[in-house]
Amino acid sequence: MKRCVILLTVVVLAGGPATAAAGQQADYEQLAREMYAELIALRSTADMPGNVKAAAEAMQRRLIDAGFPAEDVVVVSPHPELGNVVARFRGQAPGGGPPTKAPVMLMAHLDVVDALRSDWEFDPFELREIDGYFYGRGTDDNKAGVVHIVVNFIRLLEEGYVPDRDLIAVLTADEETSSDGIKYLVRERRDLVDAAFAINADAGGGELFNGEPNIFNVQAGEKIYVTFHVTATNPGGHSSRPRPDNAIYDLTMALARLSEFTFPVDVGEVARLYFGRSAAFNDGQTAVDMRAVAQDPPDREAAARLSADSPFFNAVLHTTCVATRLAAGHADNALPQTAQATVNCRVLPGQNPDDIEVTLREVIGNDDIEVTRVNTPTASDPSPLNDEIMGILEPIVEEMWPGLPIIPTMSTGATDGNYARNAGIPVYGVAAIFGDPNDSRAHGQNERVGIKEFYDAQEFWYRMLQRLSGGGK
Ligand SMILES: [Zn+2]
């Protein structure tokens, strides 16, 4: 349904502030809620590609109805049954003419992990407001992000805002599964999405402490995911006549060596900033150790203490490889012919998975044991928080949440941002939605986002899109 708004025909100077009229923000909050409900109602899972495409087409239609030229709002995909929305908000150089600055990409995804009615307290595919929260599958991951990008494109266009560079919204269809959409766009359709850097609504956020904003997180790096099969083989035989050589023993001895091995401490720029800034929010030995690992070179004893205290700190400070599955033998009364472990490695950004494989083989220390890769890793260089990005984020965080620190984080999982980084486009995860860090329900039951936090993030994106493109205060 087309909204009844007065389209402002005033065109402000490139880079000038949006001509926000009093009372309009509430209109756009209402529009955001309406779009949110529309998206949540679409069960846009991998098994229901028709719904993912419907979500893409709904966002395309809203942008075109708001006044974006149809040729600037396209739905493209390597798979005909899916659709990725690419929408270009065209900029102008100050004083007119084509922009001199490269575009910025704004990323979010339209698909969700499925949810079963029987697992939830209510229908996951109906947006609900209960006790200060929006509930529904995708409220957090990542339909709020889709709404924040689309609604602010519409608001800025209607307010007559002219960015000083192109802003490109990229809403992907398969982030939760293959990420084929973003891979295709950065590799095959670079003309559509090429950008100086990207802001990803699907990562980063803010931490609430006792209900109050405490830390503003920007995701600036992701670990690289690579899985190996480690396989010992043996001719086998009758278990009544055991021999010293045994596939299960060979494999378990190799795994025992792996269990005692730690990859070297590696504190990249993102982790250095993370620990350096987090020290102020900790006390005692932890604070001292956080400052010590943020030094160059990092203090190894401090790193060891932090790693022993917290699997998260351990994962931030090291590449890790851990056994996750085991399969061996074929009969109770036979010597095993095969014993296989699955070893999942999370490689720090900037490290080469080939080198990790070499180290893994050395640790296993048995040339008769086969090591094969299960997946092809996608390298992902970190995107350190440079002056440009901090100059955009810091003033907005200060306006909205005075005194709050911006702390970069590195995810141990992977988002579409991984593939954009791999293609040479730095990516910053800036969802700007605050929540309780110990109550993340993405992919889980009764997923929710605070209503105030949802609208605060909408306002954050409104200001950020302007700051990214020459506007704002
Ligand atoms: Zn997501």
Side-chain angles (χ1 to χ4, degrees), residues 109 141-142 175-176 202 415 443:
H109 64 88
D141 185 14
N142 175 225
E175 190 276 342
E176 299 291 3
D202 192 29
T415 69
H443 300 193

Side-chain angles (χ1 to χ4, degrees), residues 47-65:
D47 290 340
M48 300 182 199
N51 289 340
V52 188
K53 192 154 194 182
E57 287 168 353
M59 295 303 100
Q60 179 189 40
R61 195 166 49 248
R62 283 188 180 270
L63 287 162
I64 292 172
D65 285 354

Side-chain angles (χ1 to χ4, degrees), residues 397-422:
V397 172
E398 190 56 32
E399 284 160 20
M400 294 187 68
W401 303 284
L404 215 65
I406 299 177
I407 297 191
T409 58
M410 180 180 62
S411 305
T412 50
T415 69
D416 275 352
N418 204 24
Y419 301 97
R421 285 195 183 98
N422 181 251

